[in-house]
Amino acid sequence: GQQLNQSPQSMFIQEGEDVSMNCTSSSIFNTWLWYKQDPGEGPVLLIALYKAGELTSNGRLTAQFGITRKDSFLNISASIPSDVGIYFCAGQLGYGGATNKLIFGTGTLLAVQP
Amino acid sequence: DGGITQSPKYLFRKEGQNVTLSCEQNLNHDAMYWYRQDPGQGLRLIYYSQIVNDFQKGDIAEGYSVSREKKESFPLTVTSAQKNPTAFYLCASSPWAPLAKNIQYFGAGTRLSVL
């Protein structure tokens, strides 16, 4: 099955630092989603993006839908210990039928040292 | 509280045994999904269902079976044919309509281990 290229695979940072991660694909997506997963729990939706070039914020999180529609970026500003977890991107190819399924990235593990 | 409930949280399977993982949602979503998560591999789609009494294979359906007799419920059976069942299993649901924005919401997961 298809998966997105997500990078970096892991990040170990100090509290207060900013974080950037991204996802790229060879396919064009109509929707990009970013999820966060805490250990032993299910992913929780952070941000949804629906238009090329769209920039959306949720508190200290900002995500962008790439102009080419083949990539997306997530930034976290002033990281805090509770930001620890795995961050996943997900893309939707189209609308209706099989293309309504989501394709998930492989995840970025974030560790924040107080 | 609206949401997706998975049970049990932890499950152990003996050799040759079938086990069933429960997923119930009260979000009135049409579509439901099952994913398998292994370390470092992200989420892989096992089965999905767009409507009651209909379901489709995902990328890794071999060794699994599902049913969708009710809109709220989408149980997953891990059969004895699945030789490497140890994983974290996630259930999700979403709206499903033409031109819909497919936002999937997840349950808390079931961790399956082999004895």
Side-chain angles (χ1 to χ4, degrees), chain A residues 92-103, chain B residues 45 48 50 96 102:
Chain A
Q92 181 182 348
L93 290 168
Y95 300 118
T99 56
N100 208 17
K101 293 187 297 180
L102 291 179
I103 311 297
Chain B
L45 183 64
Y48 67 101
Q50 304 169 33
W96 188 287
N102 181 15

Side-chain angles (χ1 to χ4, degrees), chain B residues 10-25:
Chain B
Y10 300 95
L11 187 58
F12 297 91
R13 193 191 90 167
K14 295 179 182 178
E15 288 289 336
Q17 188 181 41
N18 293 353
V19 292
T20 298
L21 285 61
S22 170
C23 179
E24 304 276 332
Q25 56 101 359

Side-chain angles (χ1 to χ4, degrees), chain B residues 37-113:
Chain B
Q37 186 175 29
D38 295 283
Q41 292 197 41
L43 279 67
R44 293 185 291 168
L45 183 64
I46 304 173
Y47 268 99
Y48 67 101
S49 168
Q50 304 169 33
I51 195 170
V52 173
N53 293 323
D54 185 59
F55 47 83
Q56 308 295 327
K57 291 182 179 180
D59 300 319
I60 55 165
E62 186 175 351
Y64 301 97
S65 66
V66 293
S67 62
R68 187 86 185 277
E69 297 177 1
K70 298 187 301 181
K71 185 176 184 177
E72 301 79 17
S73 178
F74 191 41
L76 173 74
T77 296
V78 184
T79 75
S80 57
Q82 173 49 246
K83 298 307 178 188
N84 183 24
T86 297
F88 192 50
Y89 291 87
L90 288 161
C91 177
S93 71
S94 76
W96 188 287
L99 304 182
K101 294 170 177 149
N102 181 15
I103 304 295
Q104 291 185 22
Y105 297 91
F106 286 84
T110 292
R111 185 164 299 281
L112 175 62
S113 302

Side-chain angles (χ1 to χ4, degrees), chain A residues 31-44:
Chain A
T31 300
W32 281 97
L33 306 173
W34 284 92
Y35 291 87
K36 182 194 176 202
Q37 184 178 27
D38 291 329
E41 298 295 330
V44 174

